[in-house]
Amino acid sequence: MLSVARERPLDPVTLEVLRQFDRVARELALEYFVVGAMARDILLTGVFGLSAGRATRDVDLAVAVEGWPQFEAIKVRLVGTGAFVSDERVAQRLYHRVASERRGYPLDLIPFGGVELPGNEIAWPPDGSVVMNVAGYGEALASAVPVEVEPGFTVRVASLPGLAILKLVAWADRGTGDPRDAIDLATLLRRYAAAGNEDRLYGTELGVLEVVNYDLDLAGARLLGMDAGRIAAPSTRGQILALLDDPARLDRLFLDVARGLRATQDAVAAAGELLAQFKAGFQEVLFNEIY
């Protein structure tokens, strides 16, 4: 099992939010896992000691629910602990009470499963006017990894391939003007080899390293695409390939991923190379399954 290193502990408030939610989830027999930038930070920084890019203080949790009443029951139970308050304007957000802050520490809950409409979408109550694409969350739950975030306390965290899928879907869903998911994707593409995968690349996956002339960053991006392809459901694969095969959207994605590679010489070209390798790895899995 993976563990957060003691010399790189999580923020105490983050841990308290996770403890409080875990207690409620156990009482309600719910399956959940950590997603978003917090999942990235836990794995890349906490576990592997790598730089994770842009800082975050939000906790994002994905929760498998039977329907909207159960989702509301979770929020009611959290508020009932006295440790959280709801955001009246944002349906999925609560704030953990922190004495030194007026609003508190944000917790976003993303429901999936029984609330999904055709096309892997959810429409937030009461009027359904806010729609979110939750493609990939079922696969990300199935592939989530247990991480001991402090001694004796373990939570499930989206795996890096699962997180890459969610970041691509979220980037496509948010539309123009919000590069955050692409910036996080850039970090995953560039860091995947170093995140516990070098032994694979010099061992069972040596062919991946050979095809990119032993460039570890490119090999990591290709391996990430392969691992993402292995866990993605057919409908999710279709959405990702539609994005990666669309020249106009792909050009925008290059530019947004390049924002996460600013320290790299010719960041746009580097973004193009990393994404090309990710796509090649993703497609290779599909080709091997067919043939």
Side-chain angles (χ1 to χ4, degrees):
M1 182 175 65
L2 300 176
S3 299
V4 170
R6 296 197 178 192
E7 64 271 21
R8 297 186 295 273
L10 298 189
D11 176 82
V13 181
T14 298
L15 283 170
E16 183 58 25
V17 170
L18 291 173
R19 287 192 212 99
Q20 292 275 0
F21 186 84
D22 185 74
R23 192 174 301 121
V24 168
R26 290 179 184 276
E27 291 171 357
L28 298 177
L30 296 169
E31 284 196 288
Y32 78 95
F33 63 110
V34 183
V35 294
M38 185 56 65
R40 175 206 68 192
D41 289 354
I42 288 173
L43 291 176
L44 290 182
T45 302
V47 175
F48 296 110
L50 303 170
S51 172
R54 66 183 181 92
T56 185
R57 68 186 304 271
D58 298 2
V59 176
D60 296 329
L61 301 176
V63 192
V65 296
E66 296 173 356
W68 287 112
Q70 188 179 50
F71 180 70
E72 290 302 319
I74 298 168
K75 293 170 63 178
V76 168
R77 186 70 67 93
L78 288 168
V79 171
T81 66
F84 295 88
V85 293
S86 292
D87 187 319
E88 300 301 324
R89 296 170 300 175
V90 183
Q92 75 268 27
R93 184 164 299 152
L94 299 97
Y95 290 95
H96 181 265
R97 295 177 183 272
V98 180
S100 60
E101 298 185 18
R102 186 164 62 90
R103 295 187 70 186
Y105 193 97
L107 166 65
D108 280 358
L109 302 179
I110 303 167
F112 67 97
V115 293
E116 292 182 38
L117 301 171
N120 302 116
E121 292 183 333
I122 60 172
W124 293 97
D127 58 5
S129 61
V130 179
V131 178
M132 177 180 176
N133 188 343
V134 291
Y137 277 86
E139 303 99 283
L141 171 62
S143 62
V145 293
V147 180
E148 189 177 50
V149 292
E150 68 172 352
F153 179 37
T154 298
V155 296
R156 295 175 74 182
V157 178
S159 66
L160 296 180
L163 197 55
I165 289 171
L166 298 183
K167 289 296 178 182
L168 281 166
V169 171
W171 181 87
D173 193 42
R174 289 182 198 267
T176 61
D178 191 340
R180 288 175 296 170
D181 296 301
I183 291 171
D184 286 344
L185 179 62
T187 302
L188 300 178
L189 292 167
R190 189 175 52 179
R191 299 294 190 191
Y192 194 58
N197 290 302
E198 288 190 13
D199 286 348
R200 290 176 66 197
L201 288 169
Y202 283 105
T204 57
E205 301 290 357
L206 182 60
V208 175
L209 197 56
E210 290 173 340
V211 80
V212 294
N213 295 317
Y214 295 88
D215 184 311
L216 270 176
D217 285 353
L218 294 181
R222 192 181 188 98
L223 184 62
L224 180 61
M226 292 169 63
D227 289 344
R230 288 170 178 140
I231 65 173
S235 60
T236 305
R237 289 175 175 176
Q239 289 193 36
I240 291 174
L241 287 174
L243 166 61
L244 297 177
D245 285 337
D246 183 330
R249 288 198 293 172
L250 193 56
D251 283 347
R252 285 198 297 108
L253 183 58
F254 284 167
L255 294 175
D256 282 350
V257 168
R259 295 189 186 197
L261 303 171
R262 285 177 178 171
T264 305
Q265 186 176 8
D266 198 347
V268 175
E273 290 178 340
L274 290 169
L275 284 167
Q277 290 302 327
F278 178 91
K279 180 180 178 180
F282 197 85
Q283 290 178 316
E284 181 180 330
V285 170
L286 307 190
F287 180 84
N288 289 339
E289 287 184 359
I290 294 172
Y291 296 100

